Amino acid sequence: MKLTPAMKIILAVAAICIAITLITTNNIATVMVLHGLNTTPAVATQGSNTQQGTVDNSNQGGGYVDNSASVNTNTNTSTGTDANTSTSTDTNNNTATTPSGNTSNTGNAGNTGNTGNTNNGGNAGSNDAGASAGKNDKASVVAEFNKAINSVKTSAKEVKQLNVTNYLGGTPTIPGALNSIYGMLGGDDWLDGMLQDNSQGEATYAGADIKAKFPVEGEDYASKLTAEDVAKAERSEANGVVTITIETVPDAKSDSVKHGDGHAPKAFNVILPGIVNDNIPGIATSLVGTATMEYPASTIVVKIDKATGNVISADYDLKWTINFDKLGAIIPLATKASYTVTY
């Protein structure tokens, strides 16, 4: 498989691998060349209960007892289809004078609270939130997402790629002597700059190019996600547009994962370990060993026309990490991609 523009970030990895050879060759001129490279579902209910009370028992001279200002305040608030708010306040001021002194007034039972109305089961037919409540479980959201996003491959007239941006997804672990060379090259700023230099701008795809370029690239599907592949699935509606946010379960590292395997490879244009290993310079392979890939939790946000079920836009944020276990290097990377779709 040839490198796509989105995969050009492998050049950054290759540059690091070449830098490794400098440890054994001490080729300072090569260092200088490298240095110049341009290479939630909305929460249905919320409640708060607050109680405030102040009791002052004072013994003054002839047995004066003052229980002053005791306030119990209970607030039960429910937000969902309906909201019921109730507040109760009891204030008791009890003052007593007794000949014998020090007689305490324990009083102030107050109001134990407001149970309120905990269930507003009705009104489901009167608003969209109630009518679509059954659509918000994870399995239903994933099914709706799959149906919409897969239609891009089969029915879209045109897909416009707005951008594909590569960036550093965390702090790399660069071992030993290589770390000083990495610093000479410019460290994280240098690597992040290389990644962004290998990003893409606008492009328009139609026909066979949609299958070739739109996630999952080269496949006739855009998602094979199941509820088990998804850590979080959120759905909301506004002005005739359904917004679905999918967050995938993190993938453990692998040296053999393919499209359709694991979690993220079922819905993203992932960088596969085979692509990385095929593009590591031969001289560095003996030093770094075989690269493994892992895909931390990644997200897709898709907007769908409620009336037609067609995708309006799709935004991907893929996290992917290259591990060189033999070397002890870990390089966390990420790619954002945004598309709009015309039917």
Side-chain angles (χ1 to χ4, degrees):
M1 180 178 177
K2 294 176 64 178
L3 281 177
T4 65
M7 292 181 182
K8 286 185 178 179
I9 118 184
I10 304 299
L11 294 175
V13 179
I16 291 176
C17 292
I18 293 171
I20 295 170
T21 64
L22 303 179
I23 299 172
T24 55
T25 63
N26 195 29
N27 190 335
I28 302 303
T30 305
V31 172
M32 300 304 295
V33 171
L34 284 172
H35 189 71
L37 278 176
N38 291 315
T39 66
T40 304
V43 178
T45 59
Q46 296 177 342
S48 62
N49 293 315
T50 304
Q51 293 185 333
Q52 297 176 336
T54 302
V55 178
D56 181 11
N57 293 317
S58 302
N59 181 14
Q60 302 177 5
Y64 177 77
V65 177
D66 180 12
N67 286 327
S68 62
S70 176
V71 179
N72 288 332
T73 302
N74 294 288
T75 303
N76 295 317
T77 304
S78 162
T79 49
T81 304
D82 291 314
N84 295 290
T85 304
S86 57
T87 304
S88 68
T89 303
D90 286 347
T91 302
N92 296 289
N93 244 324
N94 298 300
T95 303
T97 302
T98 66
S100 59
N102 290 336
T103 300
S104 168
N105 192 339
T106 61
N108 218 1
N111 219 331
T112 57
N114 238 324
T115 57
N117 205 345
T118 58
N119 182 20
N120 291 298
N123 302 325
S126 63
N127 55 68
D128 286 343
S132 59
K135 298 180 181 180
N136 288 327
D137 65 281
K138 186 165 69 172
S140 296
V141 173
V142 172
E144 184 177 7
F145 166 80
N146 284 344
K147 181 178 179 180
I149 204 73
N150 282 324
S151 74
V152 175
K153 293 277 191 173
T154 58
S155 305
K157 178 180 179 181
E158 182 178 279
V159 172
K160 183 175 183 179
Q161 172 188 288
L162 304 180
N163 54 69
V164 177
T165 304
N166 302 305
Y167 64 101
L168 192 59
T171 302
T173 299
I174 309 295
L178 179 58
N179 192 49
S180 61
I181 297 174
Y182 180 65
M184 289 177 61
L185 294 171
D188 292 354
D189 290 340
W190 166 77
L191 180 54
D192 191 55
M194 287 185 66
L195 297 172
Q196 296 202 36
D197 285 347
N198 284 288
S199 297
Q200 281 183 277
E202 290 188 0
T204 300
Y205 306 126
D209 282 342
I210 295 176
K211 175 182 176 180
K213 304 294 185 180
F214 188 76
V216 175
E217 60 186 2
E219 305 292 348
D220 58 7
Y221 60 87
S223 174
K224 284 189 173 182
L225 292 174
T226 67
E228 289 70 30
D229 298 313
V230 174
K232 181 170 63 178
E234 297 178 343
R235 182 188 189 279
S236 62
E237 292 182 19
N239 302 318
V241 175
V242 175
T243 301
I244 291 177
T245 301
I246 298 290
E247 180 183 298
T248 55
V249 173
D251 286 279
K253 61 185 178 181
S254 168
D255 62 359
S256 60
V257 66
K258 303 287 192 301
H259 288 163
D261 293 346
H263 309 300
K266 292 181 178 179
F268 287 84
N269 282 347
V270 298
I271 310 301
L272 297 171
I275 298 296
V276 176
N277 287 309
D278 287 348
N279 285 273
I280 293 175
I283 193 171
T285 302
S286 61
L287 295 174
V288 302
T290 299
T292 59
M293 300 295 301
E294 61 183 297
Y295 308 102
S298 301
T299 59
I300 306 169
V301 179
V302 63
K303 294 187 180 298
I304 303 167
D305 184 326
K306 184 179 179 182
T308 63
N310 291 335
V311 172
I312 300 169
S313 65
D315 296 286
Y316 294 77
D317 190 0
L318 171 69
K319 302 297 192 296
W320 51 293
T321 300
I322 304 176
N323 298 273
F324 296 105
D325 292 336
K326 181 177 179 180
L327 181 66
I330 303 171
I331 307 173
L333 307 167
T335 302
K336 290 183 178 179
S338 297
Y339 306 89
T340 57
V341 184
T342 304
Y343 287 82

